[in-house]
Structures are given as C-alpha cells and as structure tokens.
Amino acid sequence: IPIPWNAPAGTEELTVEAGGYTQTYELEIRAAGWEAKDYYSDSQLTTPYIGAQDLPASVQSALKTSGDTVEWSNGNFVQPFLNSLDVRLAYGTTEYVGRSYSERSRNTGAGGRTATNAVLNTRSGEPLIAPANGTVLLAEDLGGSLGYTVVIDHGAGVKSLFFNLRDVSVKKGAALKQGQVIATCGRTTVAEMRIGTVPIDPVQVWRGQCDALKYY
C-alpha cells in the first residue's frame, strides 16, 4: 500500500474488495527512523545493490501476477535462513558518497541511493527455505548481480524475492510449503518483499514486526 514518505502520523481508512467481499480497515501511520551511510568513494558502496530500476522484464512481469488464496494465513512467515541473520545493508538505508558537511546536516536525500530490499551476509552453501506457503513465479539464473533468482507468490499481492543465490532447487509453478528448501545461498543474498508493487522490509515480516501481516 503506497504511503507517502512524508505522510503525517495518524490513521487512514482503506477499503479492500476481494472475492466478492468488501472490508474497511483502519491504518495507523507511525513515524520511522531511517539510517544513512557516508562513504568516501564508490568502491565502498554495498554490492550487490539491486534497485527498482535494476529489475529485468521477467521479474517485473512476475510482480504483476497474484493469486487470490492467502497462502500465509496459516503459519505466517518465518526467517528463510537457518543460521543467524547478518544484515549488511538494511531496508530503507540511504548510502551517500562524498557529501559535504552541509549536505549531511540537511540530509535532503539528494545524490543518495536508498535500499528497497535487504542485503544479507550468508554462508556459502547455506540452504534457503520458503518463508511461507506459496507458488514459484520465477526460478532461474538472471546473470550479473541478480544471479539465480526466486520469486514466490504468497497470495493477496504478497511476494518474496531472493537474488544472488548460488543455485535453485525449485521450478516455476511449483507449490511450496513453509520450510521447504528452495535454493542454496552464496556469500551474499539480497532479499525483498512486496505488497503489490510496493517494497516492504522483509526482516520485519520474518520477525513478526509487520503489523499488517502479523495480526492477519
């Protein structure tokens, strides 16, 4: 659900229609803190970095597909990595290179890049499991920084995306159960979640801190 970054704190009403039913929800908007990182050179920027403009047509097409069944209604979401979670670049973090003191103090966002996913340090060979039930929309090697990529549709517009994997063990169209091994990680994995086309913080969802999904 797209909420402007500068929306005032408070409540908003949202009406949702699905399967012939109409339901009105009250959304609570809370202020959130954002992290910024300053670097002296481009070489210090986090890699791989996958922004919205980096997604190929195959991923964009998968994001437009959505099943009506809410696959995550039973069991919700779990952390897809079996080892401890080591976040290298957190969702919402803006990285800057060569900002002046005055630019840093104003923190206007000009010239920076803001992560719409989470970059994680993972162990090479570590299994990746399905964080919730769902259907595989894409599972293939997209090359470059994207590498082996998996897109999972969890229903009701909620999707998980994993990039830069070492290999995948599922195919497009496969029905997944929570906890099922779907891929093998390399040394760095990029994880993303979307509601519709809007990115959300995957780590908060895995930890049960995303209220909209936590209390479904």
Side-chain angles (χ1 to χ4, degrees):
I1 301 167
I3 301 292
W5 70 270
N6 59 349
T11 58
E12 294 284 343
E13 284 193 350
L14 173 71
T15 300
V16 178
E17 296 182 5
Y21 296 92
T22 301
Q23 180 71 45
T24 299
Y25 297 91
E26 187 176 85
L27 302 180
E28 180 184 355
I29 302 173
R30 296 190 298 263
W34 300 95
E35 181 182 352
K37 293 184 177 181
D38 287 296
Y39 304 111
Y40 291 107
S41 68
D42 289 334
S43 63
Q44 294 175 294
L45 290 168
T46 302
T47 56
Y49 178 87
I50 301 172
Q53 70 280 2
D54 301 317
L55 298 181
S58 57
V59 176
Q60 295 183 38
S61 177
L63 290 174
K64 296 177 182 178
T65 303
S66 182
D68 293 331
T69 303
V70 185
E71 299 282 0
W72 43 272
S73 58
N74 293 320
N76 215 303
F77 287 83
V78 297
Q79 179 176 303
F81 305 95
L82 301 181
N83 296 309
S84 60
L85 196 63
D86 183 8
V87 180
R88 183 176 179 183
L89 180 67
Y91 169 90
T93 301
T94 302
E95 296 182 300
Y96 301 92
V97 174
R99 288 197 303 170
S100 66
Y101 175 80
S102 60
E103 289 171 330
R104 290 197 301 271
S105 63
R106 293 196 305 271
N107 199 26
T108 61
R113 65 181 200 182
T114 301
T116 56
N117 40 47
V119 181
L120 310 161
N121 291 321
T122 48
R123 298 180 184 178
S124 183
E126 175 182 2
L128 176 73
I129 65 172
N133 295 349
T135 302
V136 179
L137 297 179
L138 184 147
E140 60 183 271
D141 184 3
L142 299 179
S145 60
L146 298 170
Y148 278 97
T149 299
V150 176
V151 179
I152 305 171
D153 178 19
H154 300 291
V158 180
K159 296 180 181 67
S160 292
L161 300 85
F162 298 97
F163 303 98
N164 201 41
L165 301 167
R166 195 170 80 177
D167 56 49
V168 296
S169 53
V170 294
K171 295 182 179 180
K172 180 180 178 179
L176 301 178
K177 294 295 184 182
Q178 185 182 73
Q180 179 179 340
V181 175
I182 59 175
T184 302
C185 299
R187 299 180 67 86
T188 307
T189 301
V190 180
E192 184 170 331
M193 285 196 71
R194 300 236 180 170
I195 299 179
T197 59
V198 180
I200 60 175
D201 187 350
V203 177
Q204 286 195 357
V205 175
W206 303 335
R207 291 174 174 170
Q209 297 171 328
C210 181
D211 292 349
L213 301 181
K214 177 180 178 182
Y215 296 116
Y216 180 84

